[in-house]
Structure formats: C-alpha cells, structure tokens
Amino acid sequence: MTPEAAYQELRRRAREEALLASCADLLEWDEETYMPRGGVAHRSDQQALLAGLMHERGTDPRWGELLDLLEASPLAADPGAPAAVNVRWLRREYERERRLPRALVEEDARVTTLALEAWAEAREDDDFARFLPWLERLVVLARETAAAVGYAESPYDALLDEYEPGLTVRRLEPLFASLRAELVPLVRRIGEAPRRPPAHLLHREFPVDRQKLFGEAAAAWLGFDVERGRLDVSAHPFCTAIGPGDVRLTSRYDAHDFAEGFLCVLHEVGHGLYEQGLDPEEFGLPMGEAVSLGVHESQSRLWENFVGRSLAFWEHVFPRAQAVFHDALRDVPLDAFHFALNAVAPGPNRVRADEVTYNLHVLVRFELERALIEGTLAPADVPAAWRDAYREVLGVDPGNDAEGCLQDSHWAAGLFGYFPTYTLGNVYAAQFVAAARRDLGDLESGWRRGQFAPLLGWLRDRIHRQGHRWRPDELVERVTGAPPDHGPLVQYLAAKYEALYEL
C-alpha cells in the first residue's frame, strides 16, 4: 500500500469515528435540553453502546498498521504539515484508547449518564447524600482510567492530559500558588475600597424572553453564524459541536440577574466561534479539532470578559440594551451600568463569579479533585472540605451543598481534570488579547463601532485554523511570542480594577 492510500484510509476511519462521536454528542445535548427525565435509563444504555462501538473501532489493530506505515513515510517528514499533524495526534489518541478496556469505557458512559440525573435531583433538593454513592463510583472509575492510561507521578496527571495535553500537577501547583498570592490581596483591597458599584442595577426586572432575543442578537453581532448553530436553555450552560454546520449552545437566564444570562451567552458564543472557525475539510481529524480545552476556554473567556465586560463594547451595545430593557435601564448611565457589570464580590458560585475571584474558585476545585483522585480525600468528606476551602480562600461560606459542592455538573459527568483548563483559558486569553493589540492596533476603537470581525479574523487565522498543528503551550508561544504566563492576566486585572475602584 502506498503512503497516499494509507493516509486516505486513515482519514476515512477517523471521520467515521467522529460521526459516531457526534451521535453521542447529540444524545448528550438532548439529555441536557429536552429529554424527559423518564428517558435517562434508556439513554444510559444508548451511550454505553455507542461508547463501546467507538472504543472497538478506535482500537482496531488496523490503526496501528496504518500509523506505522505513515510515520515512516515522507508524509510525516514536515511536523507542521496537515498530514504529519494528523498522523502524530491520531497515534496519541490510538495509544491512549487501546490502553482502556472496553468494559471500563462502557461502564463510564453508563454511570455518568445516570449520575448526571442523580446530581440534578440532589442539587435541586440540596441533598448531597443522594449523590454520594454516585460520586464514590465516579472516583473509582476515574482512578481506574488513570491506572489504565498510565502516569509518571500523580494519577491526576493522566486525567489532566486528556483535556490539556502535557498538563501535570507539577505545572499547575506553582501557577495556582502564584495566582492565589497575587489575587487574594487584590480582592481584599477591592473589598476595602470606598467606591462601590451599583450592583442593584442589574437585578431589576429583565424579562427572560427579551434576554433570549437580546442574547441571540449579541451572538450574531460577534460573528456566530445562526444558520450553522442554535442557542437553547439548560441547567448548566455548555457548547456542543455536533459537526460542521451544527454547533449547539445553551445558556440559562434569571429575570432578576441580567449579567448571569448575558455573560453566559457571550461565554458560550466564544466556544461556538472556535468550533465554527475550524476547517470543515478536516472534520474528524486533529487538524479540524480544537487543540485543547484550555485554548477552547481562552476563546470563551476572551469574548465574555475582555470584550463583553469592556466599556468600549457597551458604548456600542448599551443603547440597544436600553431599547430592549427600557423599563429597567432607561434611567441608568452607561458608566454606572459598566461598573455594576464589573462588580467584584466574593461569593460561593463559580459560574456567577467576577473576573478577579474566578480563578480562586478553580483553585478550590483543583485541590479537592486532585485529593479525591490521589485518595487523600474521601468522597463523603467533600462537603466539609469544600466549605473549609471556601472560607479559607474566598472568605465565604456556601451555606448549603446546592451552592457548594453540588453546584457544578463536572464530577457527575466524570470530568475530573477539566476544571484547571478554565484558569489556563484565562491565562491564554490575556496573552492572546495582548498579541492581537500588537498586531491589529487599538481594538477598543473598533468595538465602539460594533466592529468585531477584525479580532475574530485574527483568532481564526492564528488559532482556530491551526487545529492540532502545535501543542497548546507551543501554540501560545507562536501566537504571542512568549510561553504561557499568568503575568499578563494579573496585570490586566490589577490595572482594570484599580481604575474602576479608584485604588
């Protein structure tokens, strides 16, 4: 077989795997949006079957034969060429997948489907005991996955690597230690500032039906193609790319909390823009996929915070908001609205957190789930450990488990190792925005006129269309000229909030 023929077979197999995965993604989207609760048991069987089929196909020895042939061919000679990238990353996926027993893969799919329903009920009733048996089972499955995949130091490393290739506890510990050392004093200084934001302005009556329409309009302003995507409602907002031309976003709304719904829409739109910016000709292949969750999160945090919380953005958008929410905003000055949108207030909830405290929420989750996987924290002790960590790091008490350790769906979905990518996203986003300003000039002047296409085009060229060409840390360095560094994020936060609070 020629290398060219082998490569075409590899592409076909990869795309078929992606099509099966997209079926599972669509079932998951349906479960989170429209599926009746009575369908959860049947859905768990569907997901387990699909997971088993994908695992069987993904571990077929034919993959190894094709990869062996291609790795020794001229097609793999240039590491940055699309064929070489696809071969390199498909080898990584194949080796990881074949270490996992099919029974473990199927059980994980079955348990997480059922656990998500149990988590939703436990959160609704503030009843951690109802979720505890599921959490215990999920931790066991995560440890079994880590053991099967293999790791050098911590079993948590094997889980981190699935979401952010190359990420380890050794790399995360100094990052979170530095962020804690620099952000906790900033939070304290802001809390002591005499100038206070008029946060109550965002808690007037904002009809949910109008919020939905306004959010859909904002998505289009930023460049989200509504002909190739949709926006729905779910308990926990998310973005799912079913395939080229079908990117599903969800948000949630509160009639008395404008910021939660609108900023959530911008966040998910950032994810959706990344998915819509991938090369459709490379669907199912590493060159047509997002390189990591950290980079994915950088896109959502960039549009939510660096754009959506900026004064320049609202100089363009605020008159439209006043027209849509006339009763709530007709007497509100722009500066007061912007200050309220950027209020810093330590609280128990990660999703509703401000920019300054957000990474401290992630720090708590990183430390607790690492302890769960390493066996130094028992699942039954999570509620107490959660409350202690929040009192120590953020100076707040969740008050109950629904606002505490049950607030996120990640553990119920088996996503141990996912949380740290949120902070990596913030770090990368600050570096990307600085690089975009270097290359494009004054971004804010364009935002004031509703011109977001230059930034989106820059992101698509340098990040979205690069797929898996480079590892996440390599991509950051190629785009920005520096390796991943939390310094620009801290500098951005300090400058912005010292000015807002007149520190």
Side-chain angles (χ1 to χ4, degrees), residues 286-332:
M287 275 301 296
E289 298 172 342
V291 65
S292 75
L293 283 181
V295 175
H296 224 310
E297 191 65 17
S298 77
Q299 303 305 284
S300 59
R301 302 299 282 179
L302 186 154
W303 290 103
E304 174 192 357
N305 292 328
F306 290 84
V307 178
R309 291 183 191 260
S310 72
L311 182 59
F313 174 84
W314 285 102
E315 286 177 352
H316 174 70
V317 173
F318 193 59
R320 293 163 174 76
Q322 286 183 308
V324 174
F325 305 104
H326 181 262
D327 291 343
L329 297 177
R330 66 179 184 276
D331 62 339
V332 177

Coordinates of all heavy atoms in Angstrom, one line a residue, residues 286-332:
P286 N -7.4 15.6 13.6 CA -6.8 16.5 14.5 C -6.7 18.0 13.9 O -6.8 18.9 14.7 CB -5.5 15.9 14.8 CG -5.7 14.4 14.7 CD -6.6 14.3 13.6
M287 N -6.4 18.1 12.6 CA -6.3 19.4 12.1 C -7.6 20.1 12.0 O -7.6 21.4 11.8 CB -5.7 19.3 10.7 CG -4.1 19.3 10.6 SD -3.4 20.8 11.4 CE -3.9 22.1 10.3
G288 N -8.7 19.4 12.2 CA -10.0 20.1 12.2 C -10.6 20.1 13.6 O -11.9 20.3 13.7
E289 N -9.8 20.0 14.6 CA -10.3 19.9 16.0 C -9.6 21.0 16.9 O -8.5 21.3 16.6 CB -10.1 18.5 16.6 CG -10.9 17.4 15.9 CD -10.5 16.1 16.4 OE1 -9.4 15.9 17.1 OE2 -11.2 15.1 16.2
A290 N -10.3 21.4 17.9 CA -9.7 22.3 18.9 C -8.5 21.6 19.5 O -8.6 20.4 19.9 CB -10.7 22.8 19.9
V291 N -7.4 22.3 19.8 CA -6.2 21.7 20.3 C -6.3 21.3 21.7 O -5.7 20.3 22.2 CB -5.0 22.6 20.1 CG1 -5.1 23.9 20.9 CG2 -3.7 21.9 20.4
S292 N -7.1 22.0 22.5 CA -7.2 21.6 24.0 C -8.4 22.4 24.6 O -8.9 23.4 24.0 CB -5.9 22.0 24.7 OG -5.8 23.4 24.9
L293 N -8.8 22.0 25.7 CA -9.8 22.7 26.4 C -9.3 24.0 27.0 O -10.1 25.0 27.1 CB -10.4 21.8 27.6 CG -11.4 20.7 27.1 CD1 -11.9 20.0 28.3 CD2 -12.5 21.3 26.3
G294 N -8.0 24.1 27.3 CA -7.5 25.4 27.8 C -7.6 26.4 26.7 O -8.0 27.6 27.0
V295 N -7.2 26.1 25.5 CA -7.3 27.0 24.4 C -8.8 27.3 24.1 O -9.1 28.4 23.8 CB -6.5 26.5 23.2 CG1 -6.7 27.4 22.0 CG2 -5.1 26.3 23.5
H296 N -9.6 26.3 24.2 CA -11.0 26.5 23.9 C -11.6 27.5 24.9 O -12.3 28.4 24.6 CB -11.8 25.2 24.1 CG -12.8 24.9 23.0 ND1 -13.8 25.9 22.7 CD2 -13.0 23.9 22.2 CE1 -14.5 25.4 21.7 NE2 -14.1 24.2 21.4
E297 N -11.2 27.3 26.2 CA -11.7 28.2 27.2 C -11.1 29.6 27.0 O -11.8 30.6 27.4 CB -11.3 27.7 28.6 CG -12.0 28.4 29.8 CD -13.5 28.2 29.8 OE1 -14.0 27.3 29.2 OE2 -14.1 29.0 30.5
S298 N -10.0 29.7 26.4 CA -9.4 31.1 26.2 C -10.3 31.9 25.3 O -10.5 33.1 25.4 CB -8.0 31.0 25.6 OG -8.0 30.6 24.2
Q299 N -11.0 31.2 24.3 CA -11.9 31.9 23.4 C -13.1 32.3 24.1 O -13.6 33.4 23.8 CB -12.2 30.9 22.2 CG -10.9 30.4 21.5 CD -10.0 31.5 21.0 OE1 -10.3 32.2 20.0 NE2 -8.9 31.8 21.7
S300 N -13.7 31.5 24.9 CA -14.9 31.9 25.6 C -14.6 33.0 26.6 O -15.4 34.0 26.8 CB -15.5 30.7 26.4 OG -14.6 30.1 27.3
R301 N -13.5 32.9 27.4 CA -13.2 34.0 28.4 C -12.8 35.3 27.7 O -13.1 36.3 28.2 CB -12.1 33.5 29.3 CG -12.4 32.2 30.0 CD -13.6 32.3 31.0 NE -13.3 33.0 32.2 CZ -14.1 33.3 33.2 NH1 -15.4 32.9 33.1 NH2 -13.8 33.9 34.3
L302 N -12.2 35.2 26.5 CA -11.8 36.4 25.8 C -13.1 37.2 25.4 O -13.2 38.4 25.6 CB -11.0 35.9 24.5 CG -10.4 37.0 23.7 CD1 -9.2 36.5 22.9 CD2 -11.4 37.6 22.7
W303 N -14.1 36.5 24.8 CA -15.3 37.2 24.4 C -16.1 37.6 25.5 O -16.8 38.7 25.5 CB -16.0 36.4 23.4 CG -15.4 36.2 22.0 CD1 -14.7 35.1 21.6 CD2 -15.2 37.2 21.0 NE1 -14.1 35.4 20.4 CE2 -14.5 36.6 20.0 CE3 -15.7 38.5 20.9 CZ2 -14.2 37.3 18.8 CZ3 -15.4 39.2 19.7 CH2 -14.7 38.6 18.7
E304 N -16.2 36.8 26.6 CA -17.0 37.1 27.7 C -16.5 38.3 28.5 O -17.2 39.2 28.8 CB -17.1 35.9 28.6 CG -17.8 36.2 30.0 CD -17.7 35.1 31.0 OE1 -17.1 34.1 30.7 OE2 -18.2 35.3 32.1
N305 N -15.2 38.3 28.8 CA -14.6 39.2 29.7 C -13.8 40.4 29.0 O -14.1 41.5 29.2 CB -13.6 38.5 30.6 CG -14.3 37.6 31.6 OD1 -15.5 37.9 32.0 ND2 -13.7 36.5 32.0
F306 N -12.8 40.0 28.2 CA -12.0 41.1 27.6 C -12.8 41.9 26.6 O -12.6 43.1 26.5 CB -10.8 40.5 26.9 CG -9.8 39.9 27.8 CD1 -10.0 38.6 28.3 CD2 -8.7 40.6 28.2 CE1 -9.0 38.1 29.2 CE2 -7.8 40.1 29.1 CZ -8.0 38.8 29.6
V307 N -13.8 41.3 26.0 CA -14.7 42.1 25.1 C -16.0 42.5 25.8 O -16.3 43.7 26.0 CB -15.0 41.3 23.8 CG1 -16.0 42.1 22.9 CG2 -13.8 41.0 23.0
G308 N -16.7 41.5 26.3 CA -18.1 41.7 26.9 C -18.2 42.5 28.1 O -19.2 43.0 28.4
R309 N -17.1 42.6 28.9 CA -17.1 43.4 30.1 C -16.4 44.7 29.9 O -16.2 45.5 30.8 CB -16.4 42.7 31.3 CG -17.2 41.5 31.8 CD -16.4 40.9 33.0 NE -16.9 39.6 33.4 CZ -17.7 39.4 34.4 NH1 -18.2 40.4 35.1 NH2 -18.1 38.2 34.8
S310 N -16.0 45.0 28.6 CA -15.3 46.3 28.4 C -16.2 47.4 28.2 O -17.3 47.3 27.7 CB -14.4 46.1 27.1 OG -15.2 46.1 26.0
L311 N -15.7 48.6 28.5 CA -16.5 49.8 28.3 C -16.7 50.1 26.8 O -17.8 50.5 26.4 CB -15.8 51.0 29.0 CG -16.6 52.4 28.9 CD1 -17.9 52.3 29.5 CD2 -15.7 53.5 29.5
A312 N -15.7 49.8 26.0 CA -15.9 50.0 24.6 C -17.0 49.2 24.0 O -17.8 49.7 23.1 CB -14.6 49.7 23.9
F313 N -17.1 47.9 24.4 CA -18.2 47.1 23.9 C -19.6 47.7 24.2 O -20.5 47.8 23.4 CB -18.1 45.7 24.5 CG -19.2 44.8 24.2 CD1 -19.2 44.0 23.1 CD2 -20.3 44.6 25.1 CE1 -20.3 43.2 22.8 CE2 -21.3 43.7 24.8 CZ -21.3 43.0 23.7
W314 N -19.7 48.2 25.5 CA -21.0 48.7 25.9 C -21.3 50.1 25.4 O -22.5 50.5 25.3 CB -21.1 48.7 27.4 CG -21.3 47.2 27.9 CD1 -20.4 46.4 28.4 CD2 -22.5 46.5 27.7 NE1 -21.0 45.1 28.6 CE2 -22.3 45.2 28.2 CE3 -23.8 46.8 27.2 CZ2 -23.3 44.2 28.2 CZ3 -24.8 45.8 27.2 CH2 -24.5 44.5 27.7
E315 N -20.3 50.8 24.9 CA -20.5 52.1 24.3 C -21.3 51.8 23.0 O -22.1 52.7 22.6 CB -19.2 52.8 24.0 CG -18.6 53.4 25.3 CD -17.3 54.1 25.0 OE1 -16.8 54.0 23.9 OE2 -16.8 54.8 25.9
H316 N -21.1 50.7 22.4 CA -21.8 50.3 21.2 C -23.2 49.6 21.5 O -24.2 49.9 20.9 CB -21.0 49.4 20.3 CG -21.7 48.8 19.1 ND1 -22.1 49.6 18.0 CD2 -22.2 47.6 18.8 CE1 -22.7 48.9 17.1 NE2 -22.8 47.6 17.6
V317 N -23.2 48.8 22.5 CA -24.3 47.9 22.8 C -25.3 48.5 23.7 O -26.5 48.2 23.6 CB -23.8 46.5 23.3 CG1 -25.0 45.6 23.8 CG2 -23.0 45.8 22.2
F318 N -24.9 49.4 24.6 CA -25.8 49.9 25.7 C -27.1 50.5 25.1 O -28.2 50.3 25.7 CB -25.1 50.8 26.6 CG -25.8 51.1 27.9 CD1 -26.2 50.0 28.7 CD2 -26.2 52.4 28.2 CE1 -26.9 50.3 29.9 CE2 -26.9 52.6 29.4 CZ -27.3 51.6 30.2
P319 N -27.0 51.4 24.1 CA -28.3 52.0 23.6 C -29.2 50.9 23.1 O -30.5 51.1 23.3 CB -27.8 52.8 22.4 CG -26.4 53.2 22.7 CD -25.8 51.9 23.4
R320 N -28.8 49.8 22.6 CA -29.6 48.7 22.2 C -30.2 48.0 23.4 O -31.4 47.6 23.4 CB -28.8 47.7 21.3 CG -28.4 48.3 20.0 CD -27.3 47.5 19.3 NE -27.0 47.9 18.0 CZ -26.3 49.0 17.7 NH1 -25.8 49.8 18.7 NH2 -26.1 49.4 16.5
A321 N -29.4 47.9 24.5 CA -29.9 47.3 25.7 C -31.0 48.1 26.3 O -32.0 47.6 26.8 CB -28.8 47.0 26.7
Q322 N -30.8 49.4 26.3 CA -31.8 50.3 26.8 C -33.1 50.3 26.1 O -34.2 50.4 26.6 CB -31.3 51.8 26.8 CG -30.2 52.0 27.9 CD -29.8 53.5 27.9 OE1 -29.4 54.0 26.9 NE2 -29.8 54.1 29.1
A323 N -33.0 50.1 24.7 CA -34.2 50.0 23.9 C -35.0 48.7 24.2 O -36.2 48.7 24.3 CB -33.9 50.0 22.5
V324 N -34.3 47.6 24.4 CA -34.9 46.3 24.7 C -35.4 46.2 26.1 O -36.5 45.7 26.4 CB -33.9 45.1 24.4 CG1 -34.5 43.8 24.8 CG2 -33.5 45.1 23.0
F325 N -34.6 46.7 27.1 CA -35.0 46.7 28.5 C -35.3 48.1 29.0 O -34.6 48.6 30.0 CB -33.9 46.0 29.3 CG -33.5 44.6 28.8 CD1 -32.3 44.5 28.1 CD2 -34.3 43.5 29.1 CE1 -31.9 43.2 27.6 CE2 -33.9 42.3 28.6 CZ -32.8 42.1 27.9
H326 N -36.2 48.7 28.4 CA -36.4 50.2 28.6 C -36.8 50.4 30.1 O -36.3 51.4 30.7 CB -37.5 50.7 27.7 CG -37.8 52.1 27.9 ND1 -38.9 52.6 28.6 CD2 -37.2 53.2 27.4 CE1 -38.9 53.9 28.6 NE2 -37.9 54.3 27.9
D327 N -37.7 49.6 30.6 CA -38.2 49.9 32.0 C -37.0 49.7 33.0 O -37.0 50.5 34.0 CB -39.3 48.9 32.4 CG -40.6 49.2 31.6 OD1 -40.7 50.3 31.0 OD2 -41.4 48.3 31.5
A328 N -36.1 48.8 32.8 CA -35.0 48.6 33.7 C -33.8 49.5 33.5 O -33.2 49.8 34.5 CB -34.5 47.1 33.6
L329 N -33.6 50.0 32.3 CA -32.3 50.7 32.1 C -32.5 52.1 31.6 O -31.5 52.8 31.4 CB -31.5 49.9 31.0 CG -31.0 48.5 31.4 CD1 -30.3 47.9 30.2 CD2 -30.1 48.6 32.6
R330 N -33.7 52.6 31.5 CA -33.9 54.0 30.9 C -33.3 55.1 31.7 O -32.8 56.1 31.2 CB -35.4 54.3 30.7 CG -36.2 54.4 32.0 CD -37.7 54.7 31.8 NE -38.4 54.9 33.0 CZ -38.9 53.9 33.7 NH1 -38.8 52.6 33.3 NH2 -39.6 54.2 34.8
D331 N -33.1 54.9 33.0 CA -32.5 55.9 33.9 C -31.1 55.6 34.3 O -30.6 56.2 35.2 CB -33.4 56.1 35.1 CG -33.5 54.8 36.0 OD1 -33.3 53.7 35.5 OD2 -33.9 55.0 37.2
V332 N -30.5 54.6 33.7 CA -29.2 54.1 34.1 C -28.1 54.7 33.2 O -28.1 54.5 32.0 CB -29.1 52.6 34.1 CG1 -27.7 52.1 34.4 CG2 -30.2 52.0 35.0

